[in-house]
Amino acid sequence: MSTTERPRILVVGGGYVGLYAARRILKKMRYGEATVTVVDPRSYMTYQPFLPEAAAGSISPRHVVVPLRRVLPKAEVLTGRVTTIDQDRRVATVAPLVGEAYDLPFDYLVIAMGAVSRTFPIPGLAENGIGMKGVEEAIGLRNHVLEQLDRADSTTDEDVRRRAMTFVFVGGGFAGAETIGEVEDMARDAAKYYPSVKREDMRFLLVDAAPGILPEVGPKLGEWGLEHLRSRGVEVYLSTSLDSCVGGHVVLRNGLEVDSNTIVWTAGVKPNPALARFGLPLGPKGHVDVDATMQVRGTGHIWAAGDNAQVPDLAARKAAGDGNTSFCPPNAQHALRQAKALGDNVISGLRGFPQGEYKHANKGAVAGLGLHKGVAMIVLGKFSIKLKGRLAWYMHRGYHGLAVPTWNRKVRVLADWTLGMFLKREVVSLGAMEHPREEFYEAASPVTAAAAEEAAADRKTRVKESRTHEREAAKAS
């Protein structure tokens, strides 16, 4: 047991699973029964399904994030990283934003670190790629795309213009298809305000190694989404991959080469690599190995769920028969339900009661491809309803509008959508936000040593010349 007066339930990660699991535990817990501590490098949770709309300006970025301290007022929220876990001593090492790392004892542990972008050793990707896992990246992408239109409109150099107007997106899953759909929509609207920029001047490319896009909604809706994007002028290259993007020179496996300032990477996710330092049993792809109760195998006090865990999909295994080893896919639908079930199991473990197994059948999937455009697959028992176009887009917004945490955020997002029905989209680039102190620094910073020497030498020369003129004037008089 830990040295704290009350047992501590340590939640590592404040993302979707971490937030909802902590809320569930606090709701079910008796007063003073335990201390709930949440540790995350950020003080907020990001609702990732809204990132494409945030990148397009349909939702304010502030409404895509949920502040942990506000939503979890009864929890201890620490901003930092858990670097190591000593399972024998039940102690986690926490590295705060500032200061030295310290040990934090715990009695029960929840691993909810989520996933990071899955990348490959592609030359130039780290230097030129833009991810879409956080709200900072969504804001940066929006500012970057609008800045490219500013560049194209202000130059007469055709090479510079062509490079600025070429946008490459890698990954044809939900994140990639939704992001390119929303960003293309925004760029189309923004082009109306640039005298020399037209949508026909822009080039949007979507690249994926798979033979189709949007596999989450099935082949038929995926094919409709593919044709829809192509009808909007998006070039889609399937069964190919990115070989190189050094200096913005994009080379695809199929031989196509283009120059671009915008390379967006959405080609899947992988479990947080920090899991490898925790001494937990991991699956072949780096996920924490858990049983159907989401308890880490071989332990009695550690649970994991969400993108960083391989949770058995009991519904799929039952449908497929014996021998099936499928796991729950990493999506918001499962993360929400797993978090609640995990919270219940932590309380059961705390009180010594039996734990329940997680079993949830897939209810379908929804995706937005821009304003009034989307695809949706709704599963009702053995039947499925497939929707496309405006109706699917309404389903997409309706589902995520209800799923985003807290009524505060639901109302704010609804307000953004309502205002968007009557007001035009904002198309202003605030790229200077990424370096807000740069202009002030240039104005206030002291001169460099070289500049100071040059200024001193210039003053000496002027003094010397002045004295020479004075002597020559005195001789002349």
Side-chain angles (χ1 to χ4, degrees):
M1 297 291 288
S2 72
T3 58
T4 57
E5 185 175 338
R6 295 181 294 183
R8 171 178 277 122
I9 302 170
L10 176 60
V11 181
V12 183
Y16 214 107
V17 171
L19 171 65
Y20 270 104
R23 288 184 73 186
R24 188 73 168 189
I25 293 169
L26 290 167
K27 180 181 179 180
K28 297 284 186 176
M29 195 171 63
R30 304 187 190 102
Y31 177 77
E33 188 174 8
T35 297
V36 177
T37 302
V38 180
V39 181
D40 194 272
R42 294 182 174 86
S43 61
Y44 55 84
M45 170 268 209
T46 302
Y47 190 71
Q48 293 183 353
F50 279 158
L51 290 181
E53 289 199 55
S58 299
I59 299 177
S60 170
R62 296 190 307 275
H63 303 161
V64 177
V65 298
V66 181
L68 296 176
R69 288 181 174 85
R70 181 172 179 175
V71 179
L72 303 172
K74 296 181 181 180
E76 179 184 30
V77 178
L78 305 177
T79 305
R81 297 180 183 275
V82 172
T83 56
T84 59
I85 292 176
D86 188 329
Q87 296 185 47
D88 294 331
R89 296 170 52 222
R90 296 197 183 186
V91 171
T93 302
V94 178
L97 289 181
V98 294
E100 298 293 328
Y102 57 89
D103 288 343
L104 184 69
F106 63 86
D107 299 279
Y108 303 93
L109 181 64
V110 175
I111 304 296
M113 300 184 68
V116 300
S117 296
R118 181 186 62 186
T119 59
F120 303 98
I122 298 173
L125 180 60
E127 295 80 9
N128 301 288
I130 302 173
M132 272 295 287
K133 284 289 293 176
V135 66
E136 304 87 354
E137 293 171 316
I139 298 172
L141 176 60
R142 170 179 166 78
N143 290 329
H144 175 82
V145 170
L146 292 175
E147 183 181 344
Q148 300 312 304
L149 301 188
D150 289 336
R151 289 188 180 189
D153 188 56
S154 62
T155 184
T156 57
D157 189 318
E158 282 303 317
D159 290 336
V160 172
R161 179 182 172 86
R162 188 180 306 109
R163 186 185 184 100
M165 300 282 275
T166 302
F167 307 95
V168 180
F169 292 74
V170 183
F174 266 176
E178 289 188 311
T179 302
I180 195 171
E182 293 285 354
V183 170
E184 191 275 339
D185 235 6
M186 179 190 70
R188 184 185 296 272
D189 285 348
K192 301 173 185 176
Y193 304 98
Y194 291 87
S196 64
V197 173
K198 296 181 178 60
R199 171 59 182 92
E200 293 74 19
D201 301 328
M202 304 178 200
R203 190 177 182 187
F204 283 86
L205 290 80
L206 179 61
V207 181
D208 197 287
I213 68 171
L214 294 171
E216 300 89 343
V217 295
K220 289 187 178 180
L221 287 179
E223 183 64 27
W224 183 89
L226 173 63
E227 294 305 318
H228 171 76
L229 290 177
R230 283 175 170 164
S231 71
R232 291 162 58 180
V234 177
E235 301 175 35
V236 183
Y237 298 96
L238 301 176
S239 301
T240 191
S241 57
L242 177 67
D243 274 356
S244 173
C245 57
V246 176
H249 182 68
V250 175
V251 180
L252 302 184
R253 183 66 55 88
N254 63 3
L256 180 68
E257 298 187 23
V258 296
D259 290 319
S260 174
N261 292 334
T262 309
I263 304 167
V264 183
W265 182 269
T266 61
V269 296
K270 63 180 180 181
N272 196 311
L275 295 172
R277 301 196 299 267
F278 293 171
L280 301 172
L282 303 179
K285 296 183 179 180
H287 300 81
V288 180
D289 189 16
V290 301
D291 58 25
T293 67
M294 289 165 290
Q295 195 164 61
V296 177
R297 297 187 186 278
T299 72
H301 63 286
I302 306 177
W303 293 261
D307 293 354
N308 67 185
Q310 54 177 30
V311 180
D313 191 340
L314 297 185
R317 294 184 181 189
K318 181 179 179 180
D322 295 337
N324 185 275
T325 57
S326 59
F327 298 99
C328 296
N331 58 35
Q333 180 184 153
H334 278 290
L336 171 60
R337 290 165 175 79
Q338 287 174 8
K340 293 180 178 179
L342 184 150
D344 291 341
N345 283 345
V346 171
I347 292 296
S348 297
L350 176 66
R351 298 172 183 170
F353 297 151
Q355 299 180 34
E357 294 183 335
Y358 173 75
K359 183 178 180 181
H360 171 70
N362 180 30
K363 297 299 182 183
V366 291
L369 299 174
L371 198 61
H372 304 146
K373 300 171 280 284
V375 292
M377 179 182 65
I378 313 301
V379 178
L380 300 173
K382 297 181 179 180
F383 304 97
S384 62
I385 301 173
K386 297 178 175 61
L387 304 173
K388 54 192 177 185
R390 185 182 289 263
L391 185 56
W393 177 77
Y394 284 134
M395 292 293 297
H396 162 75
R397 282 202 163 180
Y399 174 79
H400 288 298
L402 292 174
V404 65
T406 78
W407 280 103
N408 182 299
R409 285 300 177 270
K410 296 181 199 295
V411 172
R412 291 179 183 274
V413 168
L414 180 61
D416 285 342
W417 287 339
T418 303
L419 290 173
M421 295 170 60
F422 304 101
L423 303 176
K424 293 183 179 181
R425 192 199 307 255
E426 292 287 349
V427 291
V428 178
S429 171
L430 298 177
M433 288 175 58
E434 299 175 17
H435 306 284
R437 295 188 62 253
E438 185 173 344
E439 185 174 345
F440 179 80
Y441 178 80
E442 291 180 356
S445 62
V447 294
T448 62
E453 292 178 3
E454 183 178 353
D458 185 57
R459 284 196 299 271
K460 289 181 180 179
T461 301
R462 290 200 302 269
V463 170
K464 184 177 180 180
E465 291 177 350
S466 176
R467 290 176 179 174
T468 301
H469 290 317
E470 290 176 358
R471 286 196 296 268
E472 290 177 353
K475 290 180 181 179
S477 61

